[in-house]
Amino acid sequence: MSTTVSEVIVETLLESGAERCYGIVGDTINHFTNAIAKSPLEWVHVRHEEVGAFAAGAEAYMTDELTVCAGTCGPGSLHFVNGIYESHRNGGPVLLIASQVDSAEEGLHFPQEVDQKKVYEQCSVFCEKIQNPEQAKRIVVMAAQAALNKRGVAVVIVNGDMFKRTPEQAAPWRVHRSTPMVRPSDADLASLAALINSAVKPAIYAGIGAKHAQDSLIALAEKLQAPIAHTTRAKEFVEPNNPYCVGMTGILGNKAGLHAFEECDLLLCLGSDFAYTQFYPEQAQIVQVDIDASHLGRRTPIDLGLVGDVESTIAALLPLVDQKQDSQFLTQAKQQYQKDLHTYLERAESGNDLIHPQTVTHLLNELANDDAIFTADGGSPMVWLLRHLSANGKRRFLTSLAHGTMANAYPQALGISLAYPGRQVIAMCGDGGLSMLMGDLLTLAQEQIPVKLLVFNNHSLGFVEMEQRVEGMLDNYTELKNPNFAEVAKVVGLQGWKVTHTDELHSAMEQWLASDQPGILDVDVNRVELVMPPQIQASQVASTALFGVKAVLNGRADEVVALLRDNFVR
């Protein structure tokens, strides 16, 4: 029996480790999906391709294995773009089969024709078209290999009629994966050791590039008596059981992380690519170690930039550095970190009639399983996850920190839940994010994917509203007239709970978490909750005060009272 290009692609995807393909069937991929239906590759039928891309990307990110999306020509494939960008930026190994109109019509402005290569070259590590049947296996192997080894998205473009064609021969192409050890040269390491040995108050800034190097980080911190701050994406890998951890820096960070940066005389940036230049120290020397040379010095001027993976670099560096005895800088940072954690607990207190989102997240931290997996929408849910959920080495976290999109949380949770059946998967959703892609609640119901959706319902685009107020502007176009999301859940076949008062929260959350069905917990939270930075600047206070003046002049004095009462008077 002849093997078609469709069958070759499916077979190669399976050989490359893929287990699922997310998409919507139709015209130019019907022969491809027919081949999937006859194979062990699972097809996940979503209602919107963007959800499929988020789900596939989250599965790929969490498992470090290849996950697949497939889209019809033109509009179908274009719907994937935002989710594909997410994986392009967070390093999830995703392969997109982007179909094209039949080859006889290509280049003639046929309906739905889109130049897929121009679209996807900017957000992929591999983007090629299968030009003839004999290329099918080779192209897909190269795509999968690029996605897995370069940590990103690979795109294979296929004309609709190409799926039906039959290759005359099939060479035994296969995917190769490698885990090389990369470290700086001996001369570079000697230069780094000299900087470290002359430093009095060194600090470490660990990023996602250090995710497999926690033991090495701790060993280095112990030898240097250095506090370890971490990026937002590195929370789950750096924070657990780490006596040197002092939290984060940046607008979402805490005082201990911020002060460690401000007071150190040497900052070791290890696998970190933190984008906000204003938070780097102005006086300290800065060293950056990264596996990608293009990252060196692109966020702030540095004194030494070295190429290497973090674990191998630390292993080679440790014998070269002196044991430091003075622990005063470290002790002060750790003491401040404990104060920061206490402040977070204080902010988790609510009265019965006004629920602070921190209260909701703190309770979730207590009641969720020790190995739960959490996602969060961009905006304030992301902040509550980073500040109020504890990393213990078993829990996993995923937010859109590099791409910064809305509406990612529950689509990502969908894919993660399929990859980890039996584990508790919780999506922390903003009301704006949930409503943007609400259609795939039907997918959760149809496939009975037991994702737990927690909705922080403040009836606004809360993070945007805060940004506008801090700039001294009246908030514009941020109000959301929401339904009761618990009732929406029930209508589409999910379970639903609604909470409007604090004394209802504990019982409702317990029931929601205990259910083996997908469900929504819709909690009305304080609308004017401010995301307080680790250190208040005079300009921020002035901007908020300016909002107050404008609000009063525009007849909205009650909002000024609410802003002060609900954020500064607890």
Side-chain angles (χ1 to χ4, degrees):
M1 182 177 178
S2 299
T3 300
T4 65
V5 166
S6 293
E7 292 165 334
V8 168
I9 294 173
V10 171
E11 176 186 280
T12 307
L13 293 172
L14 288 165
E15 291 172 354
S16 304
E19 295 186 10
R20 270 167 289 277
C21 180
Y22 296 79
I24 298 176
V25 297
D27 49 40
T28 48
I29 62 166
N30 282 334
H31 286 275
F32 176 64
T33 53
N34 186 56
I36 290 177
K38 298 174 183 178
S39 79
L41 190 65
E42 180 184 353
W43 177 262
V44 184
H45 180 194
V46 295
R47 301 303 178 102
H48 193 294
E49 288 93 345
E50 184 176 351
V51 169
F54 279 134
E59 177 181 340
Y61 179 89
M62 287 289 175
T63 64
D64 287 326
E65 297 293 341
L66 189 71
T67 311
V68 185
C69 299
T72 57
C73 63
S77 292
L78 289 178
H79 280 164
F80 282 108
V81 169
N82 192 46
I84 290 298
Y85 250 107
E86 174 71 21
S87 292
H88 174 61
R89 285 179 159 156
N90 73 19
V94 173
L95 195 154
L96 171 64
I97 302 295
S99 68
Q100 181 58 283
V101 298
D102 284 358
S103 52
E105 304 295 346
E106 190 174 4
L108 300 172
H109 299 286
F110 196 76
Q112 296 191 320
E113 182 184 358
V114 170
D115 190 334
Q116 307 278 27
K117 194 160 189 177
K118 284 184 179 178
V119 171
Y120 285 109
E121 277 183 326
Q122 62 186 303
C123 55
S124 62
V125 297
F126 179 99
C127 185
E128 294 295 341
K129 180 180 176 181
I130 297 176
Q131 303 281 0
N132 62 67
E134 277 63 47
Q135 286 185 314
K137 189 173 185 70
R138 188 176 185 180
I139 290 287
V140 177
V141 163
M142 293 297 102
Q145 186 164 290
L148 289 164
N149 288 290
K150 293 185 177 182
R151 309 295 307 165
V153 177
V155 180
V156 177
I157 302 164
V158 190
N159 292 101
D161 56 322
M162 180 64 70
F163 284 117
K164 298 180 283 185
R165 296 180 64 181
T166 303
E168 295 181 3
Q169 57 183 353
W173 305 102
R174 65 188 182 91
V175 171
H176 298 274
R177 299 180 71 174
S178 179
T179 54
M181 294 176 60
V182 181
R183 72 166 181 84
S185 69
D186 290 345
D188 284 343
L189 285 170
S191 297
L192 174 56
L195 284 174
I196 291 173
N197 290 334
S198 63
V200 177
K201 295 190 291 185
I204 295 170
Y205 191 38
I208 192 68
K211 74 175 185 177
H212 298 303
Q214 194 204 37
D215 290 344
S216 298
L217 285 172
I218 291 174
L220 181 62
E222 193 282 328
K223 200 162 189 180
L224 305 186
Q225 293 296 289
I228 302 175
H230 61 80
T231 63
T232 47
R233 294 178 67 201
K235 172 185 172 74
E236 66 177 283
F237 306 108
V238 176
E239 182 181 297
N241 306 311
N242 184 348
Y244 300 94
C245 179
V246 296
M248 303 178 296
T249 187
I251 190 69
L252 306 184
N254 51 280
K255 285 185 178 180
L258 180 70
H259 291 175
F261 271 39
E262 289 178 338
E263 297 169 15
C264 70
D265 60 0
L266 176 66
L267 181 65
L268 303 175
C269 298
L270 304 179
S272 59
D273 192 35
F274 180 63
Y276 299 95
T277 303
Q278 65 268 36
F279 289 99
Y280 285 91
E282 295 181 0
Q283 305 302 324
Q285 292 184 297
I286 299 176
V287 174
Q288 186 176 3
V289 177
D290 201 288
I291 195 68
D292 187 342
S294 70
H295 290 182
L296 299 178
R298 74 172 177 175
R299 304 305 189 190
T300 191
I302 60 176
D303 296 278
L304 181 63
L306 306 178
V307 174
D309 69 78
V310 174
E311 188 166 28
S312 300
T313 300
I314 293 177
L317 176 66
L318 278 171
L320 306 178
V321 297
D322 300 333
Q323 174 69 54
K324 294 189 182 295
Q325 303 300 324
D326 187 351
S327 61
Q328 183 178 1
F329 177 51
L330 171 63
T331 299
Q332 290 173 343
K334 290 170 66 174
Q335 289 173 344
Q336 181 60 58
Y337 186 49
Q338 293 306 309
K339 293 177 182 178
D340 295 342
L341 295 178
H342 182 70
T343 299
Y344 288 161
L345 285 176
E346 288 180 336
R347 291 194 168 277
E349 297 176 1
S350 291
N352 194 43
D353 294 330
L354 180 71
I355 307 175
H356 291 289
Q358 299 95 319
T359 305
V360 180
T361 315
H362 181 70
L363 182 61
L364 178 65
N365 188 55
E366 290 182 8
L367 298 181
N369 290 346
D370 284 346
D371 66 346
I373 304 175
F374 301 87
T375 63
D377 274 335
S380 54
M382 170 182 73
V383 180
W384 313 137
L385 178 151
L386 292 168
R387 289 183 173 180
H388 294 273
L389 292 183
S390 300
N392 58 12
K394 298 178 183 178
R395 288 177 169 177
R396 300 292 309 274
F397 304 98
L398 180 58
T399 62
S400 180
L401 289 158
H403 188 41
T405 185
M406 286 180 65
N408 57 289
Y410 95 81
Q412 289 177 327
L414 186 160
I416 294 169
S417 186
L418 289 173
Y420 294 97
R423 282 183 74 171
Q424 199 175 66
V425 182
I426 300 165
M428 299 169 63
C429 305
D431 46 359
L434 174 63
S435 57
M436 182 177 283
L437 288 174
M438 202 156 56
D440 270 273
L441 295 178
L442 298 168
T443 302
L444 298 181
Q446 180 170 315
E447 304 297 330
Q448 280 299 286
I449 304 170
V451 171
K452 309 298 179 192
L453 287 78
L454 170 58
V455 184
F456 292 83
N457 194 344
N458 59 7
H459 301 274
S460 73
L461 299 174
F463 207 78
V464 177
E465 197 163 79
M466 180 199 70
E467 290 170 337
Q468 291 176 349
R469 289 176 173 182
V470 168
E471 289 293 326
M473 296 182 286
L474 287 176
D475 46 288
N476 294 306
Y477 317 122
T478 58
E479 183 175 0
L480 300 175
K481 294 189 181 299
N482 293 325
N484 181 324
F485 289 111
E487 293 302 318
V488 171
K490 295 172 184 178
V491 168
V492 301
L494 309 179
Q495 295 183 319
W497 291 263
K498 178 69 178 180
V499 172
T500 58
H501 293 83
T502 304
D503 60 9
E504 304 164 349
L505 183 60
H506 194 284
S507 175
M509 187 175 287
E510 282 189 324
Q511 295 175 50
W512 169 71
L513 289 172
S515 172
D516 61 356
Q517 304 295 312
I520 292 178
L521 175 61
D522 179 6
V523 183
D524 284 344
V525 296
N526 178 27
R527 173 166 180 167
V528 291
E529 194 76 36
L530 288 178
V531 176
M532 306 299 285
Q535 191 163 293
I536 303 296
Q537 303 295 330
S539 60
Q540 294 166 328
V541 176
S543 295
T544 306
L546 182 58
F547 159 78
V549 172
K550 291 180 179 179
V552 169
L553 292 175
N554 284 271
R556 293 166 56 180
D558 57 329
E559 294 188 29
V560 179
V561 174
L563 182 69
L564 294 171
R565 180 191 64 231
D566 300 339
N567 288 281
F568 299 102
V569 181
R570 295 264 179 166

